[in-house]
Amino acid sequence: MSDVAFAEWFVDEIMPEMHPTPRRELMRVECLRNTKSARAYLKHFGFEVTSDQGQVMSLFWLLGPNLFEIEPFKAIFEDRETPAETRVNALWDADDAAWHRAEVNCDDRYWHPRLVSGNVLGLKAYSDMTKEELDAPIDEEETDPWSQFHDND
């Protein structure tokens, strides 16, 4: 499933039921942008199956897109020896203290990795780019096709 198709599925099918408040407050297009962009983290941490990605994305919407930096979530994200489905269950089973830590330390800049200097994906942050780099043609592999997102609310 493409990133755009994943974002449309998640925002249109999952968010109205599981995350109605951010879906309503941010509106469809912003939710699509955030979801599409943050999906890169899921792939980076080895969550390849769409249903696993949907579960982890739900946690991002509940606790924050930088969830992978907060213990014990961090250890679960980084554990590549354990199957993804088992890790998804472990993320959901974290204790209340961990959930609270994640909520308190939520950093919404992580919805868009290039807003974070030294991001886990190894992408150069906009703030670290030279004027020439910022003015260079956009890499088609990284282009966010915003024009494909329409607000049908």
Side-chain angles (χ1 to χ4, degrees), residues 94-110:
D95 63 28
D96 290 344
W99 280 57
H100 178 71
R101 255 190 326 279
E103 288 173 326
V104 168
N105 291 294
C106 175
D107 187 341
D108 283 337
R109 295 176 307 145
Y110 283 72

Side-chain angles (χ1 to χ4, degrees), residues 111-131:
W111 284 116
H112 303 281
R114 286 196 180 271
L115 294 179
V116 181
S117 190
N119 63 72
V120 71
L121 300 177
L123 297 173
K124 196 167 191 178
Y126 295 126
S127 61
D128 297 332
M129 290 181 171
T130 64
K131 180 174 178 3

Side-chain angles (χ1 to χ4, degrees), residues 32-128:
L32 287 166
R33 289 176 179 168
N34 289 356
T35 299
K36 180 189 176 295
S37 184
R39 188 179 189 211
Y41 297 124
L42 306 178
K43 294 174 184 177
H44 173 78
F45 287 108
F47 297 102
E48 297 295 332
V49 176
T50 302
S51 59
D52 292 342
Q53 290 178 347
Q55 290 286 322
V56 178
M57 187 61 69
S58 279
L59 284 168
F60 281 1
W61 280 102
L62 286 170
L63 302 175
N66 61 318
L67 181 64
F68 54 84
E69 292 187 333
I70 313 298
E71 288 295 349
F73 302 105
K74 180 178 181 177
I76 298 166
F77 272 94
E78 293 176 351
D79 177 9
R80 297 298 185 94
E81 300 301 315
T82 302
E85 185 178 351
T86 303
R87 290 189 294 143
V88 168
N89 292 333
L91 291 168
W92 281 99
D93 290 341
D95 63 28
D96 290 344
W99 280 57
H100 178 71
R101 255 190 326 279
E103 288 173 326
V104 168
N105 291 294
C106 175
D107 187 341
D108 283 337
R109 295 176 307 145
Y110 283 72
W111 284 116
H112 303 281
R114 286 196 180 271
L115 294 179
V116 181
S117 190
N119 63 72
V120 71
L121 300 177
L123 297 173
K124 196 167 191 178
Y126 295 126
S127 61
D128 297 332

Side-chain angles (χ1 to χ4, degrees), residues 8 10 15 17 19 23 33 40 54 59 65-66 76 81 93 110 120 124 140 144-146 152:
E8 289 174 336
F10 189 84
M15 285 192 81
E17 293 293 320
H19 311 288
R23 175 64 175 81
R33 289 176 179 168
L59 284 168
N66 61 318
I76 298 166
E81 300 301 315
D93 290 341
Y110 283 72
V120 71
K124 196 167 191 178
E140 289 301 319
D144 286 323
W146 305 128
N152 62 2

